[in-house]
Structures are given as structure tokens and as C-alpha cells.
Amino acid sequence: MKKDKAVIYWLLSGCVLVFIMVVVGGITRLTNSGLSMTDWHLVTDTFPPLTEAKWNAAFEEYKKFPEYQKINIHNDFTLADYKFIYFWEWFHRFIGRIIGLVFIIPFVYFLIQKRINKDTLSKCFILLGMGALQGFFGWFMVKSGLVDHPDVSHFRLALHLTFAFITFAYTLWVALDLIYPERNQVIVPLKKLARITLVFLVIQIIYGGFVAGLSAGLIHNNWPLMSDGQFFHESIALEKDSWLLRFTEGKSGVQFVHRTMAYVVVGLILFLYLRSKKYTLSIQQQNGLNALVVLVFVQFALGVFTLLYSVPLWLGLLHQVMAFFLLTAMTYTLHRLSK
């Protein structure tokens, strides 16, 4: 099958834009900007307020909601401060619109030109649905912080974040199908192990969302033990009434799972790499595995330093970016071991 480079570049550009959107989303979260746009309209909010009167009107509306009334009202929060947080949330949503345009307009063009084969077409419709669903998850997340509490639900934040990662990975997978139309010899044991590793990596990403949503990285800023010389800190058992809630809603419990799961992910990737030595691999397969090993150790180190330094913006953002690179390498490696 002849490769259509324009279609491939189109899909890869979507990957880049999703990556940028997640990075901006990370900045939005780390600067506490996510609840600045209390009302949103698809057309009229394409650009930020363009006059001082409109800025003041938006600020007055923001003052009606919990984040201002319970937190920022006590912090000498000014219009200039509001403009700063408004920008990041607006920019995050603006990139979402750009992604929609970049996907839909070329998609219609390629469809008319009959440059998308039947198999890829069905995958593109899935991507279209995933994009719409991601927009809904974003609204669903923000809505949770505009009612009674000045924080979004960490469950909804993790859902929004993880689905962005999954959308990115699936877009990359579709592009890889077109980049490598030929079939590799499938190494079944490695493929199964790579799938298991991917599952644990996604769970780790989910718990990264939990840690972010609960600000759980601001406690127990020690490593390798949590604090007070304890691997399993005693506060975990005191936070909630059940073990399920302790490990999904308690700050100490969520951090414990996230930091412990990091060892599991590192171990699985190392096991996958060592297991691969028993087989004859293609250059692509070997490169994917090599990248996985390097990236997982870099990500592990970033996680440790992010914790030790109590999540400064640049380290928290870099940790999230590296998670994207690690997922990219994982998706590429699994694709090369599967196809």
C-alpha cells in the first residue's frame, strides 16, 4: 500500500497539538487558572475580553464563585491577577478549538479526495468521537469546581487528563499504521508483556491525575521513605473510613500508590527489555525498547525531584511532559511488537 504522507503528517500534527494542549493544561492546573472562565460560549469567547469594561464584567462574574469567595478574596486578588489566570484557561480552550479545526477541515478534504482508506476512515471517526468526548470531560471537570468547593474533582481531573493521553496514543497508533504498512513478525510473549506494561502505565497516569487534583505532592516530601522513616505512612490509615477511599481520596494514600506504582512501571519496562534479549528484534523494535528504558529512568528521577522540591511549576510540568514521552515510546514499542 502506497503511503500518503499528507495524511500521515495530518495525524502527527494532531499528536503535536494534543501534546501542546496537555502542556498548557498542566500550566493551567499548576497556576490554579482552571476556574477563571466561569461561563463559556463557543463563538463569543474565541478571544479574551478586548476592552477594560469587558474585563471588569468578567472579573465581577468570577467573584460570584467559590474560588474567589473562599480563597482569592483573602489574597489581595486584583484584576491583573485575574487576567493572568484567565489567559491560561482561555489559551487551553483555544488550542482545543484549533485541534478541532486541524482535524475536521483536512479530514473533509481527504474524504472528498478519497485519500483515506476504509480501515483508516473508521479509526478517524473514532478519533472524532474521542475529541468530542474530551471536550465534554473538560466541561464536566470545570463544572465540579464552580458549585460549592473551589477545587475540581480529582476524579474528573484524572479522567480529563488520562483521556487526553489515550487520545494522543490512539492518534499516534493510527499514524503508525500508515507509516509502517508492512507487517513485522509478531513476538507474542513480548507483545503480551508490553500490553501489561501499558496498562500499568495508564494506571500510573490516572494516579498522577489524582495526585495533581488533591495536591498530594505537597506532603511527605521525602524519598525513598514517605516521612518519619516510614515506607507506609501511618496517616494513610487515618484519612478515610475504608481502604478503597484511603487509596483513591486520601492524599497520603494516593501519593503512596503513585510513588509505589513508579517502581512497578520501572520494573515492568526493565523486565520487558531483558526478556527481549532472548529474541531477534528489528531495529525499530530495539530502538523502541531502548527509548523506553532511558525515558522511564528519567521520568522516575523527575518524579523524585518533583516530590523533594514540593512541586515547583517547572518541575511539575516537566514531569508531565516526560510522561507524554514515555507513553509515546510505549505506544511505538507496542505497535512495533504487535504489527
Side-chain angles (χ1 to χ4, degrees), residues 197-235:
T197 305
L198 177 61
V199 169
F200 277 91
L201 179 58
V202 171
I203 293 172
Q204 179 69 332
I205 291 169
I206 292 170
Y207 265 87
F210 286 174
V211 169
L214 292 170
S215 297
L218 300 179
I219 59 173
H220 307 306
N221 300 109
N222 300 277
W223 185 83
L225 302 177
M226 291 185 74
S227 57
D228 303 322
Q230 299 177 63
F231 173 73
F232 185 87
H233 199 267
E234 59 189 10
S235 61

Short mmCIF file of all heavy atoms in Angstrom, two decimals, residues 197-235:
data_model
loop_
_atom_site.label_atom_id
_atom_site.label_comp_id
_atom_site.label_asym_id
_atom_site.label_seq_id
_atom_site.Cartn_x
_atom_site.Cartn_y
_atom_site.Cartn_z
N THR A 197 2.38 -3.84 30.51
CA THR A 197 3.14 -2.65 30.92
C THR A 197 2.37 -1.39 30.60
O THR A 197 2.33 -0.44 31.40
CB THR A 197 4.51 -2.63 30.21
OG1 THR A 197 5.20 -3.86 30.49
CG2 THR A 197 5.36 -1.47 30.70
N LEU A 198 1.74 -1.37 29.43
CA LEU A 198 0.94 -0.20 29.04
C LEU A 198 -0.22 0.02 30.00
O LEU A 198 -0.51 1.16 30.39
CB LEU A 198 0.41 -0.37 27.62
CG LEU A 198 -0.51 0.75 27.10
CD1 LEU A 198 0.23 2.08 27.07
CD2 LEU A 198 -1.04 0.41 25.71
N VAL A 199 -0.87 -1.06 30.44
CA VAL A 199 -1.98 -0.95 31.39
C VAL A 199 -1.50 -0.31 32.69
O VAL A 199 -2.14 0.62 33.22
CB VAL A 199 -2.60 -2.33 31.66
CG1 VAL A 199 -3.57 -2.26 32.85
CG2 VAL A 199 -3.33 -2.84 30.42
N PHE A 200 -0.38 -0.76 33.20
CA PHE A 200 0.14 -0.20 34.45
C PHE A 200 0.61 1.24 34.26
O PHE A 200 0.48 2.06 35.17
CB PHE A 200 1.28 -1.07 34.99
CG PHE A 200 0.80 -2.25 35.78
CD1 PHE A 200 0.57 -3.47 35.17
CD2 PHE A 200 0.55 -2.13 37.14
CE1 PHE A 200 0.12 -4.57 35.90
CE2 PHE A 200 0.09 -3.22 37.88
CZ PHE A 200 -0.12 -4.45 37.26
N LEU A 201 1.11 1.55 33.08
CA LEU A 201 1.50 2.94 32.81
C LEU A 201 0.28 3.85 32.81
O LEU A 201 0.32 4.97 33.35
CB LEU A 201 2.23 3.02 31.46
CG LEU A 201 2.69 4.41 31.02
CD1 LEU A 201 3.61 5.05 32.06
CD2 LEU A 201 3.38 4.35 29.66
N VAL A 202 -0.82 3.38 32.24
CA VAL A 202 -2.06 4.18 32.23
C VAL A 202 -2.59 4.36 33.66
O VAL A 202 -3.05 5.45 34.04
CB VAL A 202 -3.12 3.53 31.32
CG1 VAL A 202 -4.48 4.22 31.49
CG2 VAL A 202 -2.68 3.59 29.86
N ILE A 203 -2.51 3.28 34.47
CA ILE A 203 -2.93 3.40 35.87
C ILE A 203 -2.07 4.44 36.59
O ILE A 203 -2.58 5.26 37.38
CB ILE A 203 -2.83 2.04 36.58
CG1 ILE A 203 -3.85 1.05 36.00
CG2 ILE A 203 -3.05 2.20 38.09
CD1 ILE A 203 -3.69 -0.37 36.50
N GLN A 204 -0.78 4.44 36.29
CA GLN A 204 0.12 5.42 36.89
C GLN A 204 -0.24 6.84 36.47
O GLN A 204 -0.19 7.78 37.28
CB GLN A 204 1.57 5.10 36.51
CG GLN A 204 2.61 6.06 37.05
CD GLN A 204 2.80 5.98 38.56
OE1 GLN A 204 1.90 5.63 39.31
NE2 GLN A 204 3.99 6.34 39.02
N ILE A 205 -0.64 7.01 35.21
CA ILE A 205 -1.08 8.32 34.73
C ILE A 205 -2.36 8.75 35.44
O ILE A 205 -2.51 9.92 35.83
CB ILE A 205 -1.29 8.28 33.20
CG1 ILE A 205 0.06 8.14 32.49
CG2 ILE A 205 -2.01 9.54 32.71
CD1 ILE A 205 -0.05 7.83 31.01
N ILE A 206 -3.27 7.81 35.65
CA ILE A 206 -4.50 8.11 36.39
C ILE A 206 -4.17 8.61 37.79
O ILE A 206 -4.70 9.62 38.26
CB ILE A 206 -5.41 6.87 36.46
CG1 ILE A 206 -5.96 6.53 35.07
CG2 ILE A 206 -6.57 7.10 37.44
CD1 ILE A 206 -6.68 5.19 35.00
N TYR A 207 -3.25 7.90 38.45
CA TYR A 207 -2.89 8.31 39.80
C TYR A 207 -2.09 9.62 39.81
O TYR A 207 -2.12 10.37 40.79
CB TYR A 207 -2.14 7.19 40.54
CG TYR A 207 -3.09 6.38 41.38
CD1 TYR A 207 -3.79 5.30 40.83
CD2 TYR A 207 -3.35 6.72 42.69
CE1 TYR A 207 -4.70 4.58 41.58
CE2 TYR A 207 -4.26 6.01 43.46
CZ TYR A 207 -4.94 4.94 42.90
OH TYR A 207 -5.85 4.25 43.65
N GLY A 208 -1.40 9.90 38.72
CA GLY A 208 -0.78 11.21 38.59
C GLY A 208 -1.83 12.30 38.60
O GLY A 208 -1.65 13.38 39.19
N GLY A 209 -2.97 12.03 37.93
CA GLY A 209 -4.10 12.96 37.96
C GLY A 209 -4.69 13.11 39.35
O GLY A 209 -5.05 14.21 39.78
N PHE A 210 -4.77 11.98 40.08
CA PHE A 210 -5.27 12.04 41.46
C PHE A 210 -4.35 12.91 42.33
O PHE A 210 -4.82 13.74 43.12
CB PHE A 210 -5.34 10.63 42.06
CG PHE A 210 -6.48 9.79 41.55
CD1 PHE A 210 -6.59 8.46 41.92
CD2 PHE A 210 -7.44 10.30 40.70
CE1 PHE A 210 -7.63 7.66 41.46
CE2 PHE A 210 -8.49 9.52 40.22
CZ PHE A 210 -8.58 8.19 40.61
N VAL A 211 -3.04 12.68 42.19
CA VAL A 211 -2.07 13.44 42.98
C VAL A 211 -2.20 14.93 42.67
O VAL A 211 -2.19 15.78 43.56
CB VAL A 211 -0.62 12.96 42.70
CG1 VAL A 211 0.40 13.92 43.29
CG2 VAL A 211 -0.41 11.56 43.27
N ALA A 212 -2.34 15.25 41.37
CA ALA A 212 -2.47 16.65 40.97
C ALA A 212 -3.76 17.26 41.52
O ALA A 212 -3.76 18.37 42.06
CB ALA A 212 -2.43 16.76 39.45
N GLY A 213 -4.86 16.54 41.38
CA GLY A 213 -6.16 17.06 41.80
C GLY A 213 -6.27 17.27 43.31
O GLY A 213 -6.97 18.17 43.77
N LEU A 214 -5.58 16.43 44.07
CA LEU A 214 -5.63 16.53 45.53
C LEU A 214 -4.47 17.34 46.10
O LEU A 214 -4.37 17.50 47.32
CB LEU A 214 -5.61 15.12 46.15
CG LEU A 214 -6.85 14.25 45.93
CD1 LEU A 214 -6.59 12.82 46.39
CD2 LEU A 214 -8.06 14.83 46.66
N SER A 215 -3.57 17.81 45.22
CA SER A 215 -2.32 18.48 45.67
C SER A 215 -1.56 17.59 46.63
O SER A 215 -0.96 18.05 47.62
CB SER A 215 -2.65 19.83 46.33
OG SER A 215 -3.27 20.71 45.40
N ALA A 216 -1.57 16.29 46.35
CA ALA A 216 -0.94 15.32 47.24
C ALA A 216 0.58 15.32 47.14
O ALA A 216 1.24 14.66 47.95
CB ALA A 216 -1.48 13.91 46.93
N GLY A 217 1.12 16.04 46.17
CA GLY A 217 2.57 16.15 46.07
C GLY A 217 3.16 17.15 47.04
O GLY A 217 4.39 17.27 47.14
N LEU A 218 2.31 17.85 47.78
CA LEU A 218 2.79 18.87 48.72
C LEU A 218 3.00 18.33 50.12
O LEU A 218 3.35 19.07 51.03
CB LEU A 218 1.79 20.04 48.76
CG LEU A 218 1.54 20.75 47.42
CD1 LEU A 218 0.52 21.86 47.58
CD2 LEU A 218 2.84 21.30 46.85
N ILE A 219 2.77 17.02 50.30
CA ILE A 219 3.02 16.39 51.61
C ILE A 219 4.02 15.25 51.43
O ILE A 219 4.27 14.80 50.32
CB ILE A 219 1.70 15.85 52.23
CG1 ILE A 219 1.04 14.82 51.29
CG2 ILE A 219 0.72 16.99 52.51
CD1 ILE A 219 -0.17 14.12 51.90
N HIS A 220 4.57 14.79 52.54
CA HIS A 220 5.54 13.68 52.52
C HIS A 220 6.63 13.91 51.48
O HIS A 220 6.88 13.06 50.62
CB HIS A 220 4.82 12.35 52.25
CG HIS A 220 3.67 12.07 53.16
ND1 HIS A 220 3.78 12.10 54.54
CD2 HIS A 220 2.37 11.78 52.88
CE1 HIS A 220 2.60 11.82 55.08
NE2 HIS A 220 1.73 11.63 54.10
N ASN A 221 7.27 15.07 51.55
CA ASN A 221 8.26 15.42 50.53
C ASN A 221 9.63 14.84 50.85
O ASN A 221 10.62 15.55 51.04
CB ASN A 221 8.32 16.95 50.38
CG ASN A 221 6.97 17.51 49.95
OD1 ASN A 221 6.30 18.16 50.74
ND2 ASN A 221 6.57 17.24 48.74
N ASN A 222 9.64 13.52 50.94
CA ASN A 222 10.86 12.76 51.21
C ASN A 222 10.93 11.57 50.27
O ASN A 222 9.92 11.14 49.71
CB ASN A 222 10.86 12.26 52.66
CG ASN A 222 10.79 13.37 53.68
OD1 ASN A 222 11.78 13.98 54.03
ND2 ASN A 222 9.58 13.65 54.15
N TRP A 223 12.14 11.03 50.14
CA TRP A 223 12.34 9.83 49.33
C TRP A 223 13.62 9.15 49.77
O TRP A 223 14.58 9.84 50.13
CB TRP A 223 12.43 10.20 47.83
CG TRP A 223 12.51 9.00 46.95
CD1 TRP A 223 11.47 8.23 46.49
CD2 TRP A 223 13.69 8.40 46.43
NE1 TRP A 223 11.93 7.20 45.72
CE2 TRP A 223 13.30 7.27 45.67
CE3 TRP A 223 15.07 8.68 46.53
CZ2 TRP A 223 14.21 6.44 45.01
CZ3 TRP A 223 15.98 7.86 45.89
CH2 TRP A 223 15.56 6.76 45.13
N PRO A 224 13.67 7.81 49.84
CA PRO A 224 12.67 6.83 49.37
C PRO A 224 11.52 6.58 50.34
O PRO A 224 10.52 5.99 49.95
CB PRO A 224 13.51 5.57 49.18
CG PRO A 224 14.60 5.69 50.18
CD PRO A 224 14.93 7.16 50.24
N LEU A 225 11.67 6.99 51.62
CA LEU A 225 10.58 6.81 52.58
C LEU A 225 9.67 8.03 52.54
O LEU A 225 10.08 9.11 52.15
CB LEU A 225 11.15 6.60 53.98
CG LEU A 225 12.12 5.41 54.11
CD1 LEU A 225 12.68 5.35 55.53
CD2 LEU A 225 11.43 4.10 53.74
N MET A 226 8.42 7.84 52.98
CA MET A 226 7.46 8.93 52.88
C MET A 226 7.82 10.06 53.83
O MET A 226 8.02 11.20 53.42
CB MET A 226 6.04 8.42 53.13
CG MET A 226 5.53 7.51 52.03
SD MET A 226 3.80 7.00 52.24
CE MET A 226 2.92 8.50 51.79
N SER A 227 7.89 9.77 55.12
CA SER A 227 8.35 10.73 56.13
C SER A 227 8.39 10.00 57.46
O SER A 227 7.79 8.92 57.61
CB SER A 227 7.43 11.95 56.21
OG SER A 227 6.10 11.59 56.49
N ASP A 228 9.08 10.57 58.41
CA ASP A 228 9.24 9.96 59.74
C ASP A 228 9.80 8.54 59.64
O ASP A 228 9.48 7.67 60.46
CB ASP A 228 7.88 9.91 60.48
CG ASP A 228 7.27 11.30 60.63
OD1 ASP A 228 8.04 12.25 60.86
OD2 ASP A 228 6.04 11.42 60.49
N GLY A 229 10.61 8.30 58.59
CA GLY A 229 11.24 7.00 58.43
C GLY A 229 10.28 5.88 58.10
O GLY A 229 10.57 4.70 58.33
N GLN A 230 9.11 6.21 57.52
CA GLN A 230 8.09 5.20 57.23
C GLN A 230 7.91 5.00 55.72
O GLN A 230 7.78 5.98 54.98
CB GLN A 230 6.74 5.62 57.83
CG GLN A 230 6.76 5.78 59.35
CD GLN A 230 5.42 6.27 59.87
OE1 GLN A 230 4.40 5.59 59.74
NE2 GLN A 230 5.43 7.46 60.46
N PHE A 231 7.92 3.75 55.29
CA PHE A 231 7.61 3.45 53.89
C PHE A 231 6.11 3.58 53.66
O PHE A 231 5.67 4.13 52.65
CB PHE A 231 8.07 2.02 53.56
CG PHE A 231 7.64 1.55 52.19
CD1 PHE A 231 8.26 2.05 51.05
CD2 PHE A 231 6.62 0.61 52.04
CE1 PHE A 231 7.86 1.63 49.78
CE2 PHE A 231 6.23 0.19 50.78
CZ PHE A 231 6.85 0.70 49.65
N PHE A 232 5.32 3.08 54.59
CA PHE A 232 3.85 3.18 54.55
C PHE A 232 3.44 4.09 55.70
O PHE A 232 3.42 3.66 56.85
CB PHE A 232 3.22 1.79 54.68
CG PHE A 232 1.73 1.77 54.53
CD1 PHE A 232 1.15 1.66 53.27
CD2 PHE A 232 0.90 1.85 55.63
CE1 PHE A 232 -0.23 1.63 53.12
CE2 PHE A 232 -0.48 1.82 55.50
CZ PHE A 232 -1.04 1.71 54.23
N HIS A 233 3.15 5.34 55.40
CA HIS A 233 2.95 6.31 56.47
C HIS A 233 1.67 6.05 57.24
O HIS A 233 0.63 5.70 56.67
CB HIS A 233 2.93 7.73 55.89
CG HIS A 233 3.19 8.78 56.90
ND1 HIS A 233 2.18 9.41 57.59
CD2 HIS A 233 4.35 9.29 57.39
CE1 HIS A 233 2.70 10.29 58.44
NE2 HIS A 233 4.02 10.24 58.33
N GLU A 234 1.75 6.23 58.56
CA GLU A 234 0.61 5.94 59.44
C GLU A 234 -0.61 6.81 59.14
O GLU A 234 -1.75 6.41 59.41
CB GLU A 234 1.02 6.15 60.89
CG GLU A 234 1.51 7.55 61.20
CD GLU A 234 2.12 7.69 62.58
OE1 GLU A 234 2.36 6.67 63.23
OE2 GLU A 234 2.36 8.83 63.00
N SER A 235 -0.41 7.97 58.53
CA SER A 235 -1.53 8.87 58.24
C SER A 235 -2.48 8.28 57.20
O SER A 235 -3.65 8.67 57.13
CB SER A 235 -1.02 10.22 57.74
OG SER A 235 -0.26 10.08 56.55
#
